[in-house]
Amino acid sequence: RYTERPIVAAAKLREGKFVILVNGSPSALILPTLFCENFECLDDYAGTAYFASFLRVLKYISFYLSIFLPGVFVCWAVYLPELLPPQLLFKIEAAEQATPLVILMLEIIREAGLRMPQTLGHSVSLIAALIIGDAAIAAGLMSTPVILTAAAASIAVFVTPSLYEVATVLRLV
């Protein structure tokens, strides 16, 4: 786990962890790290315990939602179609194979937005996602539920930014 905040590094040192600092780098490497530490943040200690616990549960749910939602959607559409309402089933019948394509397309748009100048990046990625999503639905390549599922999974991964790489790879797998 990496941090750029001195207070986090100091807190981890007090917990008995190692902090590795490299000359010229603003980040500190914290070792060892547990999986559950990715769902903690410094703001959890500023509020009440109930609200911090609620936020942690929300982070866990978002992480697992970002990984499993596209797979569960495809599973329902292919293997358990009787669980879906008939109107929804007719809309997604031909498009369930496009879910990995949509996820990959959203990742490409996100990377393009990150590589552009910051003043343009967010606007271009948002407009690109809207235009490409609308064009894909209009062309009949994808259905609205497929786009909605992929977008929900892509947004849910931003709740735990330290696990973004892991969640993206697991989602595509």
Side-chain angles (χ1 to χ4, degrees):
R1 181 173 178 188
Y2 292 96
T3 184
E4 293 181 2
R5 299 177 74 176
I7 193 165
V8 173
K12 294 302 177 183
L13 281 171
R14 291 191 59 156
E15 291 177 10
K17 306 221 181 232
F18 295 102
V19 176
I20 299 174
L21 300 171
V22 177
N23 191 18
S25 173
S27 299
L29 176 65
I30 301 170
L31 295 170
T33 302
L34 301 173
F35 177 71
C36 63
E37 290 177 352
N38 290 301
F39 300 97
E40 298 174 359
C41 72
L42 199 57
D43 298 334
D44 290 347
Y45 302 103
T48 63
Y50 296 114
F51 189 67
S53 298
F54 169 73
L55 288 180
R56 267 196 206 147
V57 168
L58 188 66
K59 289 175 188 177
Y60 275 104
I61 290 170
S62 296
F63 175 72
Y64 289 116
L65 186 74
S66 71
I67 293 173
F68 294 118
L69 183 64
V72 168
F73 177 77
V74 171
C75 177
W76 273 350
V78 174
Y79 298 109
L80 301 169
E82 63 273 2
L83 294 178
L84 295 173
Q87 299 87 358
L88 181 61
L89 185 61
F90 293 135
K91 289 182 181 179
I92 63 171
E93 184 177 0
E96 75 267 352
Q97 299 297 327
T99 303
L101 176 66
V102 174
I103 293 171
L104 191 61
M105 184 177 61
L106 286 171
E107 290 302 320
I108 291 170
I109 291 170
R110 183 191 163 282
E111 284 297 318
L114 286 175
R115 304 292 175 244
M116 296 184 79
Q118 193 164 9
T119 56
L120 294 174
H122 299 298
S123 301
V124 169
S125 61
L126 178 64
I127 291 170
L130 289 173
I131 291 172
I132 290 174
D134 187 47
I137 290 171
L141 296 173
M142 296 166 210
S143 66
T144 305
V146 172
I147 298 281
L148 185 64
T149 301
S154 295
I155 290 169
V157 77
F158 292 121
V159 174
T160 53
S162 60
L163 293 173
Y164 174 76
E165 294 90 4
V166 174
T168 301
V169 171
L170 288 175
R171 187 177 344 126
L172 290 173
V173 169

